[in-house]
Amino acid sequence: MNTVETPNGLAQLPMPGMPTMKPPLPSATCCNIAEGQSVVYIGKIGGGPRYGARGVVRSALRRQAVIDIGGSTWHVPYYLLTLPQAA
């Protein structure tokens, strides 16, 4: 039986019927995003943007970013943002 190596160095045995592990999405921080860059909202907060909404960074602050999502401006903490995956 073959094992699958995970990013943190652990080995996982493939099991029939279980989905394969997806690599984690890169998280957004004040150090790796810039104004005008595209980000994806991954939060699930009532009254906020919908999960998976794409937006453009207007300003990268210390603990949060100002994001333009669908014509509205949101102040979003970095832990609710991720960088889009390349196709």
Side-chain angles (χ1 to χ4, degrees):
M1 193 173 268
N2 297 336
T3 60
V4 176
E5 192 76 22
T6 61
N8 59 3
L10 299 175
Q12 175 67 43
L13 292 173
M15 304 294 279
M18 296 200 53
T20 57
M21 283 184 52
K22 296 179 185 175
L25 297 172
S27 10
T29 65
C30 62
C31 301
N32 66 357
I33 66 170
E35 292 180 16
Q37 185 174 356
S38 178
V39 292
V40 178
Y41 178 76
I42 56 170
K44 293 183 181 179
I45 297 176
R50 65 175 168 62
Y51 181 85
R54 290 181 178 256
V56 178
V57 177
R58 294 293 169 222
S59 178
L61 305 174
R62 184 174 169 188
R63 293 186 179 192
Q64 62 187 358
V66 180
I67 310 293
D68 182 21
I69 301 176
S72 299
T73 302
W74 298 87
H75 291 255
V76 182
Y78 289 115
Y79 61 87
L80 296 177
L81 296 173
T82 188
L83 302 175
Q85 292 287 331

